[in-house]
Amino acid sequence: EPEVTQTPSHQVTQMGQEVILRCVPISNHLYFYWYRQILGQKVEFLVSFYNNEISEKSEIFDDQFSVERPDGSNFTLKIRSTKLEDSAMYFCASSHGTRWGDEQFFGPGTRLTVL
Amino acid sequence: GNSVTQMEGPVTLSEEAFLTINCTYTATGYPSLFWYVQYPGEGLQLLLKATKADDKGSNKGFEATYRKETTSFHLEKGSVQVSDSAVYFCALSPSGAGNQFYFGTGTSLTVIP
C-alpha cells in the first residue's frame, strides 16, 4: 500500500540554524501539506501546496518557513533560522484533493529538537 | 470559524470495556469529519470518516455518526482490545477539496488486560 515517507525521523539542531525536512508524498496525489504538533498541543496546519505553489498557509507559516517541490517526488519544508519554539513533531501529508471528503495520508513525522 | 473540541485524556480501560471518545465541532458550510489514530512511533492513520450528516463511518469495530444537530462525531467501540491502545484524533475538513484539516487535541487510550 502506498504511503507517505519522511526523513529524518529525528533532527537536532542549534538555535539559528537552518533545517530542511523532507517528505515523499504518495505519487498520484495532487495536494501536499505540512502540519506540526508541539508536545501536548493540537496538530496545527502550516501550509498546503498545489500545482507548484502554496494554496493556503496559516499564521504560523511566516517568512522563516518555505516549502518546495524540487523534483517530481520530494516535498520539503525549510526553516531558515530555527527558534526554540520550533521544537515539535512535523507531519507531512498528501491527498488526491479532487474529491469531497478526501482523506489526507500522513507520514510518520520528523521530530525536530532545537537547542 | 472551524474548530474541533475533543474529550481530554488520558483514558484507561480494561479489555472488553465500552469506549466513547467525545468530539464536537464548529464549522462553516458542510464539513467532512474524520477520526485518525496514532500508534506509538507511527504517523496518523485514518480510522474512519463521514462526509455528510447522518453518515456513519466504521472500521475495525469503531463507529462514529455525523450528527449535524448536535455538531458531534463521537467515537465508539463496543469491546476494546489491548491493541487499540493509541492516541485518537478527531478532525474536520471544511467544504470542498484540498483544504486544511482542523484537529482536536487527541485522546490517549490505554487498554489494560
Side-chain angles (χ1 to χ4, degrees), chain A residues 83-114:
Chain A
K83 304 173 188 148
L84 295 176
E85 55 265 35
D86 293 328
S87 294
M89 182 72 89
Y90 288 79
F91 293 106
C92 175
S94 68
S95 70
H96 281 287
T98 59
R99 300 172 302 208
W100 191 284
D102 258 355
E103 69 191 77
Q104 292 181 12
F105 291 77
F106 285 79
T110 294
R111 179 166 299 284
L112 175 65
T113 302
V114 182

mmCIF file of all heavy atoms in Angstrom, chain A residues 83-114:
data_model
loop_
_atom_site.group_PDB
_atom_site.id
_atom_site.type_symbol
_atom_site.label_atom_id
_atom_site.label_comp_id
_atom_site.label_asym_id
_atom_site.label_seq_id
_atom_site.Cartn_x
_atom_site.Cartn_y
_atom_site.Cartn_z
ATOM 1 N N LYS A 83 14.105 28.517 15.938
ATOM 2 C CA LYS A 83 13.940 29.060 17.289
ATOM 3 C C LYS A 83 13.593 27.912 18.228
ATOM 4 O O LYS A 83 13.153 26.839 17.782
ATOM 5 C CB LYS A 83 12.803 30.080 17.321
ATOM 6 C CG LYS A 83 12.959 31.220 16.350
ATOM 7 C CD LYS A 83 11.705 32.085 16.343
ATOM 8 C CE LYS A 83 11.794 33.097 15.223
ATOM 9 N NZ LYS A 83 10.513 33.441 14.656
ATOM 10 N N LEU A 84 13.763 28.143 19.509
ATOM 11 C CA LEU A 84 13.432 27.100 20.478
ATOM 12 C C LEU A 84 11.994 26.628 20.318
ATOM 13 O O LEU A 84 11.705 25.428 20.429
ATOM 14 C CB LEU A 84 13.653 27.607 21.907
ATOM 15 C CG LEU A 84 15.089 27.948 22.304
ATOM 16 C CD1 LEU A 84 15.131 28.520 23.709
ATOM 17 C CD2 LEU A 84 15.995 26.724 22.198
ATOM 18 N N GLU A 85 11.099 27.578 20.040
ATOM 19 C CA GLU A 85 9.680 27.245 19.943
ATOM 20 C C GLU A 85 9.314 26.492 18.673
ATOM 21 O O GLU A 85 8.158 26.104 18.497
ATOM 22 C CB GLU A 85 8.820 28.505 20.082
ATOM 23 C CG GLU A 85 9.154 29.613 19.114
ATOM 24 C CD GLU A 85 10.109 30.643 19.705
ATOM 25 O OE1 GLU A 85 11.003 30.261 20.501
ATOM 26 O OE2 GLU A 85 9.954 31.839 19.351
ATOM 27 N N ASP A 86 10.279 26.284 17.781
ATOM 28 C CA ASP A 86 10.027 25.447 16.599
ATOM 29 C C ASP A 86 10.149 23.958 16.920
ATOM 30 O O ASP A 86 9.842 23.111 16.076
ATOM 31 C CB ASP A 86 11.010 25.794 15.480
ATOM 32 C CG ASP A 86 10.790 27.183 14.919
ATOM 33 O OD1 ASP A 86 9.633 27.638 14.890
ATOM 34 O OD2 ASP A 86 11.791 27.815 14.503
ATOM 35 N N SER A 87 10.602 23.639 18.114
ATOM 36 C CA SER A 87 10.692 22.234 18.513
ATOM 37 C C SER A 87 9.298 21.625 18.504
ATOM 38 O O SER A 87 8.388 22.107 19.186
ATOM 39 C CB SER A 87 11.295 22.113 19.914
ATOM 40 O OG SER A 87 12.634 22.539 19.918
ATOM 41 N N ALA A 88 9.126 20.568 17.718
ATOM 42 C CA ALA A 88 7.815 19.961 17.529
ATOM 43 C C ALA A 88 7.974 18.725 16.660
ATOM 44 O O ALA A 88 9.040 18.461 16.114
ATOM 45 C CB ALA A 88 6.848 20.943 16.841
ATOM 46 N N MET A 89 6.871 17.993 16.524
ATOM 47 C CA MET A 89 6.790 16.930 15.533
ATOM 48 C C MET A 89 6.182 17.535 14.283
ATOM 49 O O MET A 89 5.129 18.177 14.354
ATOM 50 C CB MET A 89 5.920 15.794 16.053
ATOM 51 C CG MET A 89 5.810 14.625 15.100
ATOM 52 S SD MET A 89 7.333 13.680 14.995
ATOM 53 C CE MET A 89 7.056 12.512 16.317
ATOM 54 N N TYR A 90 6.836 17.349 13.153
ATOM 55 C CA TYR A 90 6.350 17.883 11.888
ATOM 56 C C TYR A 90 5.845 16.733 11.020
ATOM 57 O O TYR A 90 6.576 15.782 10.744
ATOM 58 C CB TYR A 90 7.468 18.651 11.163
ATOM 59 C CG TYR A 90 7.775 19.961 11.835
ATOM 60 C CD1 TYR A 90 8.565 20.019 12.984
ATOM 61 C CD2 TYR A 90 7.241 21.147 11.347
ATOM 62 C CE1 TYR A 90 8.823 21.225 13.618
ATOM 63 C CE2 TYR A 90 7.502 22.356 11.979
ATOM 64 C CZ TYR A 90 8.278 22.381 13.116
ATOM 65 O OH TYR A 90 8.529 23.573 13.754
ATOM 66 N N PHE A 91 4.600 16.854 10.608
ATOM 67 C CA PHE A 91 3.971 15.822 9.778
ATOM 68 C C PHE A 91 3.762 16.353 8.365
ATOM 69 O O PHE A 91 3.231 17.447 8.175
ATOM 70 C CB PHE A 91 2.604 15.424 10.334
ATOM 71 C CG PHE A 91 2.661 14.710 11.659
ATOM 72 C CD1 PHE A 91 2.292 15.363 12.818
ATOM 73 C CD2 PHE A 91 3.057 13.384 11.732
ATOM 74 C CE1 PHE A 91 2.325 14.713 14.042
ATOM 75 C CE2 PHE A 91 3.093 12.723 12.944
ATOM 76 C CZ PHE A 91 2.732 13.387 14.103
ATOM 77 N N CYS A 92 4.122 15.542 7.407
ATOM 78 C CA CYS A 92 3.793 15.777 6.017
ATOM 79 C C CYS A 92 2.553 14.953 5.679
ATOM 80 O O CYS A 92 2.351 13.865 6.244
ATOM 81 C CB CYS A 92 4.968 15.356 5.148
ATOM 82 S SG CYS A 92 4.700 15.432 3.375
ATOM 83 N N ALA A 93 1.729 15.456 4.794
ATOM 84 C CA ALA A 93 0.544 14.725 4.360
ATOM 85 C C ALA A 93 0.298 14.997 2.888
ATOM 86 O O ALA A 93 0.781 15.995 2.330
ATOM 87 C CB ALA A 93 -0.681 15.126 5.182
ATOM 88 N N SER A 94 -0.464 14.105 2.261
ATOM 89 C CA SER A 94 -0.861 14.337 0.879
ATOM 90 C C SER A 94 -2.271 13.810 0.671
ATOM 91 O O SER A 94 -2.775 12.990 1.445
ATOM 92 C CB SER A 94 0.118 13.678 -0.100
ATOM 93 O OG SER A 94 0.065 12.261 -0.032
ATOM 94 N N SER A 95 -2.932 14.318 -0.363
ATOM 95 C CA SER A 95 -4.276 13.864 -0.697
ATOM 96 C C SER A 95 -4.487 13.994 -2.191
ATOM 97 O O SER A 95 -3.803 14.763 -2.869
ATOM 98 C CB SER A 95 -5.339 14.672 0.056
ATOM 99 O OG SER A 95 -5.409 15.990 -0.426
ATOM 100 N N HIS A 96 -5.468 13.221 -2.679
ATOM 101 C CA HIS A 96 -5.878 13.395 -4.067
ATOM 102 C C HIS A 96 -6.282 14.846 -4.288
ATOM 103 O O HIS A 96 -5.928 15.468 -5.264
ATOM 104 C CB HIS A 96 -7.069 12.487 -4.394
ATOM 105 C CG HIS A 96 -6.711 11.073 -4.639
ATOM 106 N ND1 HIS A 96 -6.073 10.656 -5.782
ATOM 107 C CD2 HIS A 96 -6.913 9.960 -3.895
ATOM 108 C CE1 HIS A 96 -5.894 9.351 -5.718
ATOM 109 N NE2 HIS A 96 -6.384 8.904 -4.586
ATOM 110 N N GLY A 97 -7.127 15.337 -3.322
ATOM 111 C CA GLY A 97 -7.530 16.729 -3.367
ATOM 112 C C GLY A 97 -8.607 17.047 -4.369
ATOM 113 O O GLY A 97 -8.965 18.190 -4.546
ATOM 114 N N THR A 98 -9.120 16.046 -5.029
ATOM 115 C CA THR A 98 -10.094 16.351 -6.073
ATOM 116 C C THR A 98 -11.499 15.919 -5.708
ATOM 117 O O THR A 98 -12.431 16.174 -6.454
ATOM 118 C CB THR A 98 -9.709 15.646 -7.383
ATOM 119 O OG1 THR A 98 -9.650 14.236 -7.150
ATOM 120 C CG2 THR A 98 -8.384 16.147 -7.886
ATOM 121 N N ARG A 99 -11.632 15.267 -4.571
ATOM 122 C CA ARG A 99 -12.929 14.733 -4.201
ATOM 123 C C ARG A 99 -13.349 15.266 -2.848
ATOM 124 O O ARG A 99 -12.556 15.441 -1.946
ATOM 125 C CB ARG A 99 -12.878 13.199 -4.155
ATOM 126 C CG ARG A 99 -12.510 12.574 -5.475
ATOM 127 C CD ARG A 99 -12.278 11.094 -5.342
ATOM 128 N NE ARG A 99 -11.237 10.775 -4.397
ATOM 129 C CZ ARG A 99 -10.478 9.687 -4.452
ATOM 130 N NH1 ARG A 99 -10.651 8.833 -5.430
ATOM 131 N NH2 ARG A 99 -9.576 9.441 -3.541
ATOM 132 N N TRP A 100 -14.629 15.515 -2.713
ATOM 133 C CA TRP A 100 -15.207 15.948 -1.454
ATOM 134 C C TRP A 100 -14.907 14.908 -0.381
ATOM 135 O O TRP A 100 -15.123 13.728 -0.565
ATOM 136 C CB TRP A 100 -16.726 16.067 -1.632
ATOM 137 C CG TRP A 100 -17.415 16.733 -0.506
ATOM 138 C CD1 TRP A 100 -17.698 16.206 0.718
ATOM 139 C CD2 TRP A 100 -17.927 18.048 -0.486
ATOM 140 N NE1 TRP A 100 -18.359 17.121 1.485
ATOM 141 C CE2 TRP A 100 -18.510 18.258 0.773
ATOM 142 C CE3 TRP A 100 -17.959 19.075 -1.431
ATOM 143 C CZ2 TRP A 100 -19.111 19.459 1.114
ATOM 144 C CZ3 TRP A 100 -18.556 20.264 -1.080
ATOM 145 C CH2 TRP A 100 -19.121 20.445 0.184
ATOM 146 N N GLY A 101 -14.407 15.389 0.752
ATOM 147 C CA GLY A 101 -14.168 14.467 1.859
ATOM 148 C C GLY A 101 -12.945 13.599 1.690
ATOM 149 O O GLY A 101 -12.816 12.569 2.367
ATOM 150 N N ASP A 102 -12.038 13.999 0.768
ATOM 151 C CA ASP A 102 -10.805 13.241 0.613
ATOM 152 C C ASP A 102 -10.040 13.179 1.923
ATOM 153 O O ASP A 102 -9.830 14.186 2.586
ATOM 154 C CB ASP A 102 -9.906 13.935 -0.409
ATOM 155 C CG ASP A 102 -9.939 13.249 -1.754
ATOM 156 O OD1 ASP A 102 -10.581 12.189 -1.874
ATOM 157 O OD2 ASP A 102 -9.305 13.774 -2.671
ATOM 158 N N GLU A 103 -9.577 11.998 2.245
ATOM 159 C CA GLU A 103 -8.716 11.896 3.424
ATOM 160 C C GLU A 103 -7.321 12.381 3.081
ATOM 161 O O GLU A 103 -6.915 12.408 1.914
ATOM 162 C CB GLU A 103 -8.648 10.454 3.906
ATOM 163 C CG GLU A 103 -7.885 9.546 2.950
ATOM 164 C CD GLU A 103 -8.047 8.094 3.298
ATOM 165 O OE1 GLU A 103 -9.115 7.555 2.978
ATOM 166 O OE2 GLU A 103 -7.100 7.526 3.870
ATOM 167 N N GLN A 104 -6.614 12.782 4.095
ATOM 168 C CA GLN A 104 -5.203 13.095 3.946
ATOM 169 C C GLN A 104 -4.399 11.927 4.512
ATOM 170 O O GLN A 104 -4.749 11.367 5.555
ATOM 171 C CB GLN A 104 -4.851 14.398 4.661
ATOM 172 C CG GLN A 104 -5.497 15.600 3.995
ATOM 173 C CD GLN A 104 -5.151 16.919 4.644
ATOM 174 O OE1 GLN A 104 -4.252 17.020 5.468
ATOM 175 N NE2 GLN A 104 -5.865 17.967 4.242
ATOM 176 N N PHE A 105 -3.339 11.575 3.809
ATOM 177 C CA PHE A 105 -2.463 10.488 4.228
ATOM 178 C C PHE A 105 -1.223 11.112 4.865
ATOM 179 O O PHE A 105 -0.561 11.935 4.243
ATOM 180 C CB PHE A 105 -2.062 9.640 3.017
ATOM 181 C CG PHE A 105 -3.184 8.852 2.431
ATOM 182 C CD1 PHE A 105 -4.136 9.458 1.632
ATOM 183 C CD2 PHE A 105 -3.305 7.495 2.679
ATOM 184 C CE1 PHE A 105 -5.176 8.730 1.079
ATOM 185 C CE2 PHE A 105 -4.340 6.756 2.134
ATOM 186 C CZ PHE A 105 -5.285 7.376 1.334
ATOM 187 N N PHE A 106 -0.939 10.683 6.077
ATOM 188 C CA PHE A 106 0.135 11.298 6.848
ATOM 189 C C PHE A 106 1.377 10.415 6.902
ATOM 190 O O PHE A 106 1.295 9.189 6.954
ATOM 191 C CB PHE A 106 -0.327 11.561 8.285
ATOM 192 C CG PHE A 106 -1.255 12.733 8.395
ATOM 193 C CD1 PHE A 106 -2.591 12.612 8.066
ATOM 194 C CD2 PHE A 106 -0.782 13.962 8.823
ATOM 195 C CE1 PHE A 106 -3.450 13.693 8.156
ATOM 196 C CE2 PHE A 106 -1.627 15.054 8.926
ATOM 197 C CZ PHE A 106 -2.958 14.917 8.588
ATOM 198 N N GLY A 107 2.517 11.079 6.922
ATOM 199 C CA GLY A 107 3.763 10.391 7.175
ATOM 200 C C GLY A 107 3.975 10.170 8.664
ATOM 201 O O GLY A 107 3.188 10.649 9.481
ATOM 202 N N PRO A 108 5.053 9.483 9.019
ATOM 203 C CA PRO A 108 5.314 9.160 10.422
ATOM 204 C C PRO A 108 5.836 10.333 11.230
ATOM 205 O O PRO A 108 5.896 10.251 12.456
ATOM 206 C CB PRO A 108 6.363 8.053 10.341
ATOM 207 C CG PRO A 108 7.069 8.305 9.050
ATOM 208 C CD PRO A 108 6.027 8.861 8.115
ATOM 209 N N GLY A 109 6.218 11.415 10.556
ATOM 210 C CA GLY A 109 6.662 12.601 11.265
ATOM 211 C C GLY A 109 8.158 12.701 11.426
ATOM 212 O O GLY A 109 8.885 11.698 11.389
ATOM 213 N N THR A 110 8.623 13.946 11.557
ATOM 214 C CA THR A 110 10.012 14.241 11.930
ATOM 215 C C THR A 110 9.978 15.007 13.234
ATOM 216 O O THR A 110 9.334 16.063 13.320
ATOM 217 C CB THR A 110 10.720 15.101 10.861
ATOM 218 O OG1 THR A 110 10.861 14.360 9.663
ATOM 219 C CG2 THR A 110 12.087 15.547 11.365
ATOM 220 N N ARG A 111 10.671 14.476 14.211
ATOM 221 C CA ARG A 111 10.750 15.193 15.494
ATOM 222 C C ARG A 111 11.911 16.175 15.421
ATOM 223 O O ARG A 111 13.066 15.764 15.271
ATOM 224 C CB ARG A 111 10.940 14.229 16.663
ATOM 225 C CG ARG A 111 11.048 14.956 17.997
ATOM 226 C CD ARG A 111 10.891 14.037 19.189
ATOM 227 N NE ARG A 111 9.600 13.369 19.237
ATOM 228 C CZ ARG A 111 8.466 13.956 19.603
ATOM 229 N NH1 ARG A 111 8.456 15.226 19.947
ATOM 230 N NH2 ARG A 111 7.342 13.260 19.644
ATOM 231 N N LEU A 112 11.613 17.459 15.499
ATOM 232 C CA LEU A 112 12.644 18.500 15.461
ATOM 233 C C LEU A 112 12.888 19.004 16.876
ATOM 234 O O LEU A 112 11.949 19.413 17.554
ATOM 235 C CB LEU A 112 12.210 19.655 14.567
ATOM 236 C CG LEU A 112 13.152 20.855 14.528
ATOM 237 C CD1 LEU A 112 14.490 20.461 13.899
ATOM 238 C CD2 LEU A 112 12.541 22.019 13.768
ATOM 239 N N THR A 113 14.138 18.956 17.277
ATOM 240 C CA THR A 113 14.536 19.478 18.581
ATOM 241 C C THR A 113 15.520 20.614 18.358
ATOM 242 O O THR A 113 16.575 20.413 17.737
ATOM 243 C CB THR A 113 15.193 18.382 19.442
ATOM 244 O OG1 THR A 113 14.269 17.298 19.594
ATOM 245 C CG2 THR A 113 15.579 18.929 20.807
ATOM 246 N N VAL A 114 15.156 21.795 18.837
ATOM 247 C CA VAL A 114 16.025 22.972 18.704
ATOM 248 C C VAL A 114 16.626 23.275 20.072
ATOM 249 O O VAL A 114 15.902 23.466 21.051
ATOM 250 C CB VAL A 114 15.234 24.184 18.177
ATOM 251 C CG1 VAL A 114 16.176 25.385 17.999
ATOM 252 C CG2 VAL A 114 14.542 23.847 16.865
#
